Amino acid sequence: MAGLLYYLPVIVTAGVVIGALILGGYFIREYVRVRKNGSTCMYCKAEAARALPRTYLFLLPISFGDTYEDAEKYLLSHMVPIMGKEQIPTGRRACKVEVHGCSKCSRRQVIIEDFLLVRGEEYLKEYYKFSYEKFRPLLDTWEETERRVCPGSQPG
């Protein structure tokens, strides 16, 4: 028993290092996929790519330093459709939403980037993945708003 206690710090350190390597691998995989305009499927962890060519824009009623709890619930109830970045008031945050589809299980998810626009540059505040089904009514509202504002536009 004394021999095991002697090696316990080495065993614990090895476990922590292995855990960090595994988590780092997942992070690097996700980072590479995002850089290629893709993502990792939230359901089966396979590669997911953009399923729709458009990016939806929504305004949030919060400023630079504000935070919110339960992101999914907050975003579903507070995102307001906008048709362009020029509609973002100074100091207010907005969201870009993209729909991604999985190459393996064919399920869809939304990728949401909460950002602050400063002098034309986007500063990412948060990055989320949620089920497409929950956000579909909000995306339909955006498309209906686009049809009203830009009657000649094509659905995409």
Side-chain angles (χ1 to χ4, degrees):
M1 187 61 153
L4 181 62
L5 288 176
Y6 178 76
Y7 290 107
L8 187 60
V10 174
I11 294 169
V12 169
T13 302
V16 168
V17 167
I18 290 170
L21 289 173
I22 290 170
L23 287 176
Y26 286 123
F27 174 76
I28 290 170
R29 179 180 67 179
E30 178 70 9
Y31 179 76
V32 168
R33 287 180 178 171
V34 167
R35 297 286 289 175
K36 296 188 316 184
N37 281 333
S39 64
T40 301
C41 178
M42 61 190 278
Y43 304 105
C44 71
K45 306 301 182 216
E47 186 170 355
R50 282 181 78 164
L52 299 176
R54 75 171 4 139
T55 298
Y56 301 88
L57 280 175
F58 294 90
L59 188 62
L60 291 174
I62 56 176
S63 304
F64 173 70
D66 295 339
T67 59
Y68 46 85
E69 298 293 322
D70 192 359
E72 183 177 38
K73 184 177 177 182
Y74 180 84
L75 293 171
L76 280 169
S77 62
H78 289 88
M79 290 170 47
V80 177
I82 57 175
M83 296 298 112
K85 290 181 184 178
E86 65 279 355
Q87 293 180 303
I88 303 172
T90 302
R92 290 270 301 273
R93 295 204 338 235
C95 287
K96 286 192 310 188
V97 179
E98 294 179 351
V99 178
H100 287 222
C102 179
S103 59
K104 184 177 178 183
C105 70
S106 300
R107 294 181 76 181
R108 289 182 168 188
Q109 62 192 13
V110 292
I111 305 298
I112 300 177
E113 293 180 5
D114 175 352
F115 68 93
L116 178 69
L117 192 63
V118 178
R119 295 184 189 104
E121 279 206 43
E122 298 173 11
Y123 289 91
L124 183 66
K125 298 294 284 178
E126 298 291 338
Y127 175 89
Y128 303 104
K129 281 188 225 180
F130 296 115
S131 167
Y132 169 75
E133 289 76 24
K134 289 185 179 182
F135 281 83
R136 185 174 183 177
L138 192 58
L139 301 179
D140 290 344
T141 300
W142 188 96
E143 289 179 359
E144 180 59 36
T145 301
E146 181 189 44
R147 280 191 288 278
R148 278 196 329 268
V149 173
C150 311
S153 66
Q154 296 292 323

